[in-house]
Amino acid sequence: MGHNRLGRLPKAQRWHKVDRLLDETADVTTVSSATVRTAEVRLRQLGRAFSFAYCFWLRVHLAPASRDPAFHQRREDLGRRRLAAGAPAAIG
């Protein structure tokens, strides 16, 4: 399991290193460490983007809302509240 490649890695040099490690059948620790370091760089860049922060915030808040019997209303409230705020500072 996990040996099939689905799709392509981004073309950044850091991802090429991860790709080479996969080709070399490096140990899991080495591959996972390189993957985490590479993804962290991109996630830090995306963290400054309002749209990414909003999607992350929404995903975190939808999980507990889905357990509520009034989920449909809670879902609508979450969307309205954050879209009305309309600023990155409103995420929190």
Side-chain angles (χ1 to χ4, degrees), residues 8-80:
R8 298 177 187 207
L9 290 174
K11 292 185 178 184
Q13 183 63 33
R14 294 177 194 262
W15 285 112
H16 286 294
K17 179 181 178 183
V18 173
D19 194 39
R20 281 193 307 273
L21 289 172
L22 290 169
D23 286 340
E24 296 167 1
T25 61
D27 66 288
V28 173
T29 304
T30 304
V31 173
S32 61
S33 179
T35 302
V36 167
R37 281 193 309 275
T38 300
E40 184 178 26
V41 170
R42 183 64 178 139
L43 287 172
R44 286 186 190 278
Q45 294 168 346
L46 288 172
R48 293 186 286 266
F50 172 72
S51 59
F52 181 77
Y54 174 73
C55 290
F56 183 80
W57 178 91
L58 188 60
R59 185 176 176 122
V60 167
H61 286 82
L62 275 177
S66 69
R67 296 181 193 97
D68 191 317
F71 170 65
H72 297 293
Q73 183 59 48
R74 295 258 329 260
R75 183 189 65 199
E76 288 179 23
D77 293 344
L78 286 172
R80 273 197 295 268

